[in-house]
Amino acid sequence: MRARLHHINLSTEKVEEMDAFYREVLGLEATDEDVPALRNDEGVYAGDVAFVSDGHMHLHIARKDVQAGFRTGQLVNPVMKGHVAYRTDDLAAFKAHLEAEGVPFADWGDSAVAGWHQIYFYDPEGNVIEVHERDG
């Protein structure tokens, strides 16, 4: 059930400008390694996303979408203000842990990303946290 930091998601109206900034100023590189397959065709989230990495961790620069939670019926919207994401190898155990701790979460399943089962919840300050497990 161990959660490992996987990526940070920044939500913005300026995907191209932010992508250029992180590549040119911080030296991150565009990557297609271990990036999610977005389900743009299903009306969940159709925003642009730039995927960059330092070779160890990813930064997902996503088009801000304040309506994603409403369209999906989910209480937590991970692309309104961004989020920090962790990967686990036992999401069922992690969900049970959250329930035992009294932490409510939104279970997005794989509705937004093919092959990743994602849940989202808030920390005490309202920051969005994602925990996901790769399917299979």
Side-chain angles (χ1 to χ4, degrees):
M1 177 186 88
R2 183 172 170 249
R4 297 170 308 281
L5 189 59
H6 183 266
H7 69 268
I8 296 172
N9 175 287
L10 300 177
S11 295
T12 181
E13 298 292 339
K14 302 174 182 181
V15 173
E16 299 80 14
E17 184 179 335
M18 292 279 284
D19 180 36
F21 175 87
Y22 280 93
R23 286 186 294 107
E24 294 167 9
V25 175
L26 289 174
L28 302 183
E29 295 182 4
T31 185
D32 60 1
E33 181 181 325
D34 193 28
V35 298
L38 302 175
R39 294 184 181 262
N40 295 343
D41 59 337
E42 297 183 21
V44 174
Y45 176 73
D48 297 329
V49 181
F51 300 101
V52 294
S53 175
D54 64 359
H56 301 284
M57 198 176 96
H58 286 192
L59 177 64
H60 297 178
I61 304 168
R63 175 102 30 222
K64 183 181 293 192
D65 184 350
V66 298
Q67 299 298 321
F70 291 110
R71 279 195 312 281
T72 60
Q74 297 288 350
L75 296 175
V76 181
N77 180 345
V79 288
M80 185 165 64
K81 300 222 181 240
H83 59 272
V84 176
Y86 295 84
R87 177 171 286 168
T88 185
D89 57 359
D90 190 346
L91 190 59
F94 197 86
K95 291 192 302 186
H97 172 68
L98 289 176
E99 289 168 352
E101 293 292 324
V103 177
F105 58 90
D107 191 334
W108 281 62
D110 68 351
S111 65
V113 173
W116 288 14
H117 188 135
Q118 299 168 293
I119 63 170
Y120 296 94
F121 53 96
Y122 294 108
D123 73 8
E125 282 291 333
N127 299 299
V128 176
I129 299 171
E130 168 188 334
V131 175
H132 69 265
E133 179 178 29
R134 287 169 59 176
D135 295 337

